[in-house]
Amino acid sequence: MTACRPNGSSPDVDISTPAPTSKSTTTPTPEPTPTPAPYTIVTVDSQLVNDGELVLVNWAHEYENTDTASTVLAAEYAGDHLLLESDQARLSSDALEALNSLADGFFEVTGGDRLFVTSGYRTVEYQAWLYADYVEANGEELAKIYVADPGYSEHHTGLAVDLSTMSAAGERVALVNHELAAWLNTNCARFGFILRYPVGKTELTHIAYEPWHFRYLGLANALAVAGLDITYEEYVEHIRQYSIETGMLHVTPMRDDGSMAGDAVDGAGLALLDVAMLGGIPDEGYLIYYVTASETGVTEVRIPVEAESYSISGDNDGGFIITVTL
């Protein structure tokens, strides 16, 4: 869903008591007028709970919007440092823009190596063919842990990408074998990506370690997942504890050198903000919280008036994740 800007703060309300008059009668004290709540209310169609930049797609959460996923032809927008295995590769426009920036960073730090896209958006039909082909070549047991069932693949969203590399000398190098693969894993969050299937997490993700598969979440949520050092399955569950009422997850901004800030805050750049305290909203960074989808068909979402902008995404699991830029 697109980012929006909230309305400005409401003016202060004067609730002072008038000065006494010279008359013997007492002037009644006016009833206090409640101060307007420090947020703006927006509404979202509850049916959009299964769509958006932050949807969870895995063995238990089917993605039902594959045919309407918004993607662009990567070849038309790929930067100089991003190579494509297929000129028909497609990605969401936001993911592709961020991937271009990641490729620029990789090119600079490696002295000329480029990222190579081996797979982006996939239709359900293509995923079915891919699964059947893998079964034929490697057996169904391996297929189940390396290839998602049709309809249950992140590639259906246009937000997932498989990457390899091409050396400055023109040699194809698998990402897992690249000497700076660790740099990509550590820094991809700065560009809005996470390594989706980390090593040792198969029990949670139901997919074996895939050093080539990255998922676009946008900067704030990618930094949060990286800072918490958890899988996306765990993150979608974890974020449910944050709300306007209980406190929002505060992701601190990055340092000037581009590294993740907040080493002094829980060692991960994350802090639980108690929004019940007036003046508790920080001046910069991001706030992330959760709203359960209403069964009425329209879900109300409260946005802090301090927000510079915000985005609302369904999580494909019964609610919406709200991301506020301060």
Side-chain angles (χ1 to χ4, degrees), residues 34 48 59 100 113 129 144-145 184 196 227 238 245 251 279 317:
L48 295 176
W59 83 100
N100 277 328
D113 294 357
W129 173 84
K144 286 186 177 297
I145 62 172
L184 195 68
R196 182 62 176 88
H238 179 80
E245 295 83 9
V251 180
D317 194 34

Side-chain angles (χ1 to χ4, degrees), residues 53-54 94-95 98-99 102 159 184-196 198 214-232 235-236 239 249-252 254 260-261 268-270 286-288 311 321-323:
E53 195 169 82
L54 301 175
D94 287 345
L99 186 60
L102 179 59
L159 299 165
L184 195 68
N185 295 344
T186 301
N187 289 273
C188 64
R190 293 174 44 215
F191 301 88
F193 288 90
I194 61 169
L195 179 65
R196 182 62 176 88
F214 292 81
R215 165 69 188 272
Y216 179 72
L217 299 176
L219 180 60
N221 287 276
L223 288 176
V225 173
L228 291 165
D229 192 23
I230 57 179
T231 65
Y232 195 54
Y235 181 71
V236 170
I239 206 66
L249 184 68
H250 177 213
V251 180
T252 59
M254 293 185 295
M260 290 171 60
L270 304 170
Y286 309 95
L287 299 175
I288 307 173
S311 64
I321 298 175
I322 320 303
T323 307

